[in-house]
Amino acid sequence: MEVEVGFLGLGIMGKAMSMNLLRHGFRVTVWNRTLSRCDELVELGASVAETPAAVVKKCTYTIAILSDPSAALSVVFDKDGVLEEICSGKGYIDMSTVDCHTSSKISEAITSKGGYFLEAPVSGSKKQAEDGQLVILAAGEKALYDEVLPAFNVMGKKSSFLGLVGNGAKMKLVVNMILGSMMNAFSEGLTLADKSGLNPQTLLDVLDLGGIANPMFRMKGPAMLQKSYSPHFPLKHQQKDMRLALSLADDYAVSMPVAAAANEAFKKARSMGLGDLDFSAVFDAVKHPDCSS
């Protein structure tokens, strides 16, 4: 590949996504706050830069996937950040899950320097990132979308262009709001089955044969019964997304009592010290409502 791709953020998702780019022949320069996290990527052929600005200076377009709005803004606006080197002819693609206001602020800053901006949050977690099976929800500069589509095709199974900046962020928050609400209801169902004398594994079998059978129940259910919560999608990030989705609902005066209740369960789980575990660990908060931190 002739184009040099920058990649900022090597957490659970970013590491897997950048590895796929390298394995498919892309030239990639990476950066992470903890630089030691870059070592495995270097073994696959990546170059390392010491700052986000250095990545942008070197690369035609730069991808970022960061933990929350604060981190997404910091990488752009702080000293040695993206804004110091973004200019005409360079593109910035933010694949973080953030609110539309954060995405718009970043977009305005990038375009004011002559750069091109695309938001492109992803639906999927660790396994989908590793397998290149993410769903990419892009919005912003269509020309940049067309340019980076070969990279999106490596990282994901489907990319959608949703129009104006903000639409990608909104779609991702709606998807994750539904995801979190489903996980909370699933946890309540498993708990009720167990407390009422039913076999939770039999419940999983019955669910998988009916109209609400889905990959999440199938993948997460057995691990939840074993109290195995290896983080594919950290609970603290799911709760952040519930909070942002509820804020979006406030903007449009949409009542979401189910999502609000689910958010409280995730907050309870965080107070129990479960934030770094998989979001399915909310099951423990549902099972033990009287536990405190």
Side-chain angles (χ1 to χ4, degrees), residues 173-185:
L173 292 178
V174 171
V175 168
N176 276 19
M177 178 272 293
I178 295 170
L179 180 75
S181 299
M182 282 178 62
M183 178 54 76
N184 196 57

Side-chain angles (χ1 to χ4, degrees), residues 33-252:
R33 289 188 191 281
T34 304
L35 284 176
S36 61
R37 298 199 65 143
C38 301
D39 292 348
E40 196 171 347
L41 280 299
V42 171
E43 292 176 8
L44 291 175
S47 301
V48 179
E50 293 189 356
T51 66
V55 174
V56 173
K57 182 176 182 179
K58 181 180 180 184
C59 300
T60 306
Y61 61 83
T62 299
I63 295 168
I65 184 160
L66 303 153
S67 59
D68 56 28
S70 176
L73 291 167
S74 174
V75 160
V76 173
F77 291 98
D78 284 2
K79 184 179 183 298
D80 296 321
V82 170
L83 271 192
E84 293 190 10
E85 293 293 342
I86 200 77
C87 59
S88 178
K90 291 184 179 290
Y92 185 65
I93 303 102
D94 193 347
M95 304 186 80
S96 316
T97 299
V98 300
D99 57 283
C100 56
H101 304 295
T102 296
S103 195
S104 294
K105 184 175 182 179
I106 293 171
S107 174
E108 290 167 7
I110 296 296
T111 56
S112 73
K113 298 290 289 287
Y116 299 106
F117 178 75
L118 196 69
E119 62 176 3
V122 299
S123 180
S125 59
K126 181 181 179 183
K127 179 73 164 62
Q128 291 76 31
E130 291 173 343
D131 295 344
Q133 293 293 298
L134 296 167
V135 176
I136 298 171
L137 307 169
E141 177 59 56
K142 182 62 163 59
L144 181 55
Y145 174 79
D146 292 337
E147 182 179 349
V148 302
L149 199 53
F152 284 175
N153 289 339
V154 164
M155 297 185 287
K157 64 180 178 181
K158 173 68 176 176
S159 299
S160 296
F161 182 75
L162 303 176
L164 298 176
V165 169
N167 288 346
K170 292 174 188 174
M171 183 68 79
K172 177 60 189 298
L173 292 178
V174 171
V175 168
N176 276 19
M177 178 272 293
I178 295 170
L179 180 75
S181 299
M182 282 178 62
M183 178 54 76
N184 196 57
F186 186 43
S187 298
E188 290 180 353
L190 289 171
T191 300
L192 179 58
D194 183 47
K195 296 291 187 182
S196 63
L198 300 173
N199 184 335
Q201 181 58 56
T202 303
L203 173 62
L204 294 183
D205 296 339
V206 171
L207 289 173
D208 201 41
L209 294 170
I212 59 170
N214 67 78
M216 185 178 78
F217 291 177
R218 195 174 301 124
M219 182 172 70
K220 298 292 187 183
M224 290 163 68
L225 297 185
Q226 296 297 318
K227 299 183 179 181
S228 176
Y229 304 122
S230 177
H232 287 239
F233 178 33
L235 186 145
K236 63 186 178 184
H237 294 162
Q238 175 65 71
Q239 193 271 312
K240 175 262 296 182
D241 293 348
M242 298 301 290
R243 172 174 57 81
L244 294 177
L246 288 165
S247 177
L248 179 64
D250 284 347
D251 291 343
Y252 293 93

